[in-house]
Amino acid sequence: MENYSDQEWIRLLKQGHEQACDQLWAFLVSNAQTVCWRWGLDEYLGSEAAAEAYHRIMRRGIFQFDYRSQFRSYCRRITVNEICRELQKQKRNLPAKISLDEIHEQVAAPNVNEQAGLERLLPCIRRLAAREWDVCRKYYLEGYSPDEIAAQFGIAQNHVNVLNYRARQKLLKCLQEQGYMSSDDILDGLM
Amino acid sequence: MGQDNEPKSQRISRLIHDIYVTSDKEIFYDEALVLMARCADALLSEDEARLQYPQLWHYFDLYPEVKVEYDILMGLARMDAAGEQKTPENLPPRPDLKRRSQRDLLEVIRQTFSGFPQLSLDLATTRGAYRTIEPVEVTLGQGEATLSLNILPSIDEPRTWDLLCTVSSPEKQFEEKLEFAPLWLQQDENGPILKETALSKEGDGNFSALAPGNYVLHLRLGNHEYVVTELTLPEPG
C-alpha cells in the first residue's frame, strides 16, 4: 500500500481514485493469498474473501472507519474476517437444533446429565426478554456463531454481544439470588 | 468456528461458566475489532497484548471464534513486518462495485422520490424569514422506516438548498441502528460521492448548500441500503 496517510486513503477511496482502489485491491489479495498459503487453504477461498473484503471496505468501511487504528490494519482485519466467514460457509455443518420445548423435555427426563444445571437455570431463563434468550440459546446451546446469529436476526454482531451480555447479567443476578454463588454450585451434579 | 462440535453438556457448562465470569467492564464486538487492529498496528506479543488490553482477552474467552481471527491477523502482521507477505503473481481483476452480487441486490431497496410540492416552494421565503416547504415522506423498504425530506434555502450560500433528512421507524430494532448510520449523496449512481453525513441518535442528518439539480440519496441501515433516486432540488424561486 502506498504511503498515504489514513486521511488521504479515505479521501481517495471515497472519490473512487483508480490508483488508490487498485492498491487497496492488491493489498487485500496479497493478505488473503498469504493467509491461504501460510495456513494451507484453497487459493480460491482467498480470492473470494479478498473480493468480499473489497466490497465491504468500499461500500461501508470507508464511511465507518474511525481512525482508532491504522487503516492498513483495519483492512487486513476485514480480510481475515472474510476468510473466516468463507471458511465457515464451506465447513458449515449445522448442529442439531435444541428448542426451548426440548430443554423442558430434558429437564423432565430423569436420566439426563444436564438436568440439575438446567433445572437451576430455567426459572432464571424465564426472566429474560425473548430476544436475549434467543441469542443466548443460539450461541451456547445451538452452536451458532455471533456472525450467524446477527444475520438471522438482522442485527449487528455488536448487538448480539450486547444481548448476550444482558442475558448473562440477568442470569447471574437471578442465580445469585437463589444462592448459587459460583459456577461450581450450579454445576454440581451436571458433569 | 463456534461450538458446533462441542458436546451438549459442555455447551451448558460453558454457558454457566460464562454467566459467572460476566464482568461490569466487558467490551463488545466493535471495540474488540478496534483493539485487535491496534495490537496488529503495534505488533504486540501475546503477553504484551494481554497486559495492555485485558478486556480483549476476556472477550476472547467469551467468543473464542474471534480469537481465531486475532491469531491469523497477528500472524499476517508479523509476516508482513518480516517481509514474508506473499506478493500476488497474477492479480485478479479488481471487483466491479457497480455489479452487485445477488445477495447485495436483495439488500438494496430503491425508491423514486416523489418531488417537493411546487406550490409550497413559493412560500420558501416570506417577510425576510426563511420558511421550510412541506416535508416529503418516502417510505423505505416494506414500511419499516420513513425518510422525511425537507429543503430550506441555505443561509450560507445564496441560491443553494439545505437538505434536511429525518429517518424514523416504529420498529425498535431499526431505532437502534439509526445513530451513526451513513447517509450520502451522489449526482448519479455511478458518480463520485458529493457529500456524506451520518444520522444522529434521533435519526437526523443534514446536507448544506446543495446546488439545484438531481441527486441520488443513499442510506445504509444495518444490512440494508436504501437508495432514493431522482431527488430533484428545484431552482430557488
Side-chain angles (χ1 to χ4, degrees), chain A residues 39-51:
Chain A
W39 281 274
L41 304 173
D42 186 347
E43 215 167 280
Y44 173 76
L45 182 143
S47 304
E48 287 289 299

Side-chain angles (χ1 to χ4, degrees), chain B residues 32-96:
Chain B
L33 297 184
V34 172
L35 298 185
M36 282 163 65
R38 280 189 182 173
C39 292
D41 286 347
L43 289 174
L44 296 182
S45 69
E46 191 147 326
D47 287 343
E48 289 168 332
R50 198 182 280 270
L51 203 63
Q52 204 161 328
Y53 302 118
Q55 67 278 44
L56 181 63
W57 252 257
H58 182 62
Y59 184 85
F60 290 153
D61 288 341
L62 295 166
Y63 300 101
E65 56 281 323
V66 184
K67 176 67 164 57
V68 174
E69 287 186 35
Y70 174 82
D71 290 339
I72 297 174
L73 176 68
M74 293 306 292
L76 200 51
R78 286 192 191 101
M79 285 173 78
D80 187 20
E84 294 169 2
Q85 185 153 339
K86 200 172 161 71
T87 308
E89 287 165 13
N90 296 312
L91 190 65
R94 204 175 82 204
D96 183 356

